[in-house]
Amino acid sequence: MSSSPTPDALLGPTDVRELAGALGVRPTKQRGQNFVIDANTVRRIVRTAEVRPEDVVVEVGPGLGSLTLALLEVADRVTAVEIDDVLAAALPATVAARLPARADRFALVHSDAMHVTELPGPAPTALVANLPYNVAVPVLLHMLDTFPTIERTLVMVQAEVADRLAAGPGSKVYGVPSVKANWYAEVKRAGAIGRNVFWPAPNVDSGLVSLVRRTEPIRTTATKAEVFAVVDAAFAQRRKTLRAALAGWAGSAAAAEAALVAAGVSPQARGEALTVEEFAAVAENRVTDSGGHAGQGSSTDTEEPRQS
């Protein structure tokens, strides 16, 4: 059971600036650092993320700990991944000072999130993070891929990135992030965040994106790598028809057309029109040099659809 938090456990604007000053920290554009200074906002994020008392939450880029403390008030455990040396060193002390009764429920991993392949303690069930704008998509996809136990994700990202992640086929902003995120999860916009809740205030708006992991993986005999290769090729030349855009991937325009037709996709379509399931079907129907289909494994492969 979690203990009742003290009224002043969360960080306000003055707390954030004083803490940053004491640490000699100035937010850097290089790491996309914008610290949340509004306690109501972080509590709203935790509510929107539907964090439960039994959840083991992983947070990427905790910074000074604004969201970390709000998560610790509710979740069973929180593991924060921080790349910055000064911030990583300071965060455990901040947690101990402001939520002493919950400090033993907190763990810190001092690392680049893109290099994290394991976490201490129980497997994470949720990912909640204010992701640095410049690495938001690769970090999100890496965490979803590396930790399949993450059932629910809520990330705060640049509004434009949020739109791309949540876009559906046919949308002008539907692209690689949209398809790849949808491979793992059902994705939707979950709200907007104003600029004035950050220090320093960014010159872009922010948005919340909710990702609920698929209970059943995409049904396909192709591997994730094979499907993602089609996605990358299709959007690398998004103005071209798929017959032309996938020529390099398939070996020739004719081979691309054959794979598309076999998958039930028009060779004249463009990548922005395809669902993740259709991309998977195209990947299955690529004919390899040996004459087999790329998605067909050897007789020792399992028949179960797989995600990686």
Side-chain angles (χ1 to χ4, degrees):
M1 295 289 291
S2 64
S3 60
S4 298
T6 55
D8 59 349
L10 302 193
L11 300 174
T14 302
D15 300 313
V16 170
R17 290 186 174 91
E18 287 181 353
L19 189 52
L23 296 173
V25 168
R26 292 294 302 174
T28 69
K29 285 187 177 180
Q30 178 188 2
R31 288 189 173 156
Q33 290 171 329
N34 297 92
F35 300 128
V36 182
I37 57 174
D38 182 62
N40 288 329
T41 296
V42 291
R43 283 203 170 104
R44 174 189 161 199
I45 291 170
V46 173
R47 283 197 309 272
T48 305
E50 300 181 5
V51 176
R52 303 161 186 165
E54 66 271 21
D55 272 323
V56 178
V57 180
V58 58
E59 179 190 7
V60 175
L64 293 166
S66 299
L67 179 56
T68 313
L69 293 166
L71 289 167
L72 267 173
E73 285 185 343
V74 179
D76 183 53
R77 296 175 180 274
V78 175
T79 300
V81 180
E82 177 58 64
I83 188 174
D84 186 286
D85 295 345
V86 175
L87 296 173
L91 189 53
T94 300
V95 170
R98 303 189 76 92
L99 279 176
R102 306 289 292 155
D104 64 337
R105 297 288 179 165
F106 173 73
L108 180 97
V109 175
H110 181 196
S111 176
D112 180 340
M114 290 297 293
H115 299 154
V116 170
T117 56
E118 57 183 8
L119 294 167
T125 59
L127 166 64
V128 184
N130 169 23
L131 289 178
Y133 294 161
N134 51 349
V135 294
V137 172
V139 166
L140 172 63
L141 296 177
H142 170 74
M143 296 298 288
L144 289 174
D145 193 56
T146 306
F147 301 102
T149 56
I150 293 174
E151 300 166 0
R152 285 162 290 114
T153 294
L154 188 80
V155 291
M156 179 160 57
V157 294
Q158 186 174 334
E160 183 182 352
V161 176
D163 289 340
R164 287 178 185 165
L165 283 168
S171 165
K172 289 182 179 179
V173 294
Y174 182 72
V176 172
S178 326
V179 183
K180 291 185 178 179
N182 200 228
W183 169 266
Y184 300 103
E186 300 294 340
V187 189
K188 67 178 182 179
R189 278 292 297 261
I193 300 289
R195 304 181 187 192
N196 61 345
V197 304
F198 295 98
W199 173 70
N203 56 8
V204 293
D205 293 320
S206 299
L208 299 175
V209 181
S210 163
L211 301 97
V212 178
R213 190 178 292 270
R214 292 176 176 274
T215 52
E216 293 289 334
I218 300 291
R219 295 193 65 83
T220 178
T221 54
T223 65
K224 181 200 71 179
E226 288 165 350
V227 176
F228 282 14
V230 183
V231 175
D232 289 336
F235 288 104
Q237 304 177 78
R238 64 182 298 149
R239 293 190 178 185
K240 292 188 175 182
T241 65
L242 286 171
R243 183 183 191 277
L246 298 182
W249 163 81
S252 69
E257 179 168 349
L260 290 160
V261 170
V265 175
S266 168
Q268 301 308 309
R270 288 173 170 78
E272 63 201 46
L274 270 62
T275 64
V276 64
E277 289 86 358
E278 287 172 320
F279 276 112
V282 175
E284 287 181 24
N285 284 285
R286 176 189 179 192
V287 177
T288 62
D289 291 340
S290 60
H293 288 99
Q296 291 181 339
S298 68
S299 59
T300 57
D301 283 348
T302 64
E303 293 301 313
E304 291 296 312
R306 57 190 188 274
Q307 280 193 310
S308 60

